[in-house]
Amino acid sequence: MKLNRSAIVNLLFISLFLSLHCFSLGQDFDFFYFVQQWPGSYCDTKNSCCYPTSGKPASDFGIHGLWPNYNDGSYPSNCDPDSAFDKSQISDLISSMEKNWPTLSCPSNDGTKFWTHEWIKHGTCSESELDQHEYFEAALKLKDKINLLKILNNAGIEADDGFYELDEIRKAIEEESGVSVGIECNVDSYGNSQLYQIYMCVDTSGSQFIQCPLLPRHRCGSSIQFPKF
Ligand code: 5GP
Ligand code: 5GP
């Protein structure tokens, strides 16, 4: 078949349009990191912390975020400038978010700033899979699925300012969950390495824990503190 010049120009325009369109929608990612933080370790660094306006959070891990990631370790961020955080879309989730996703940053606030940041930076990059309500609900359901504190306590690892072997912490969570986990430490005001965040990998639907294609590289001491909160 012979194409005349205008047909070729049309085809070129169509493919240009399609590629631009797909590119702008193509917020593909390979998996999520589901990241939980230990409040005691956020609060006892040099920077300290502020309790949210709803009061001191429970002595439990809190959600930090659900972050789309690529298998090579890179990740997309701030994917949709047109998608604002809209509290009215998740009004039914707010009381659970206050409990399970509390903010500890200063000055004291109701959490909207933290949730907005997480939506804008990370949530907008998984919009092809999860809308705003689904995104926050997915994170809350994941936290419900895995009770990190209970798992650690059952293994004799308590938030008592004691020091525990990093491998012992890892082993307890991996044995119970069946998947690999990443552990991030930070440093308290005395310079002790302590348990700060736990990373788990989740499929792109945001519902199943999976073996991590790649664990984030964080440095911890071989023995780390688990601070009281
Ligand atoms: P930091 O530099 O403190 O480790 O991370 C700062 C922020 O960068 C995190 O809160 C998160 O928003 C983002 N971030 C850091 N590491 C990763 C990662 O491995 N994957 C994704 N998706 N985001 C990350
Ligand atoms: P990231 O980009 O690291 O996902 O998000 C961290 C941002 O959220 C920082 O700007 C930090 O100040 C803010 N933020 C608010 N509340 C919290 C909190 O409780 N924990 C952490 N890690 N960051 C918080």
Side-chain angles (χ1 to χ4, degrees), residues 17 47 78 92 109 112 124-125 133-134 142 165 184 203 209 211 221:
F17 170 80
N47 301 324
N78 302 304
D92 59 317
N109 67 94
T112 305
T124 56
C125 299
H133 190 275
E134 289 165 341
L142 289 167
E165 293 300 306
E184 179 181 1
D203 69 346
F209 291 114
Q211 292 299 344

Side-chain angles (χ1 to χ4, degrees), residues 33 64 67-69 73 75-76 117-118 121-122 184 199 216 218:
Y33 280 127
H64 180 162
W67 304 342
N69 227 82
Y75 58 88
H117 170 87
E118 292 300 311
K121 182 169 180 181
H122 300 286
E184 179 181 1
Y199 290 63
H218 292 119

Side-chain angles (χ1 to χ4, degrees), residues 48-60:
S48 79
C49 71
C50 292
Y51 297 154
T53 40
S54 51
K56 183 180 177 183
S59 178
D60 189 10

Side-chain angles (χ1 to χ4, degrees), residues 9 11 13 21 42 100 110 113 146 194 211 218-219:
V9 169
L11 272 175
F13 268 113
H21 194 63
Y42 186 94
N100 296 292
D110 68 2
K113 230 176 127 192
I146 184 103
Q194 57 182 0
Q211 292 299 344
H218 292 119
R219 241 175 277 150

Side-chain angles (χ1 to χ4, degrees), residues 118-174:
E118 292 300 311
W119 171 253
I120 300 291
K121 182 169 180 181
H122 300 286
T124 56
C125 299
S126 52
E127 271 181 308
S128 58
E129 296 289 328
L130 304 173
D131 65 24
Q132 202 164 138
H133 190 275
E134 289 165 341
Y135 176 78
F136 286 100
E137 191 177 36
L140 293 168
K141 282 189 173 161
L142 289 167
K143 174 150 189 299
D144 251 6
K145 268 194 173 188
I146 184 103
N147 188 334
L148 291 177
L149 189 63
K150 198 167 155 200
I151 290 173
L152 293 177
N153 288 170
N154 286 345
I157 300 163
E158 313 254 356
D160 57 2
D161 285 343
F163 283 78
Y164 296 90
E165 293 300 306
L166 180 64
D167 284 344
E168 198 189 340
I169 296 174
R170 192 194 312 282
K171 207 170 123 219
I173 304 172
E174 291 186 347

Side-chain angles (χ1 to χ4, degrees), residues 31-33 35 64 66-70 73-77 114 117-118 121-122 184 196-197 199 214-218:
F31 66 96
F32 285 107
Y33 280 127
V35 185
H64 180 162
L66 183 61
W67 304 342
N69 227 82
Y70 298 120
S74 66
Y75 58 88
S77 60
F114 189 24
H117 170 87
E118 292 300 311
K121 182 169 180 181
H122 300 286
E184 179 181 1
Y196 173 41
Q197 301 204 109
Y199 290 63
L214 181 88
L215 280 170
R217 287 179 153 269
H218 292 119

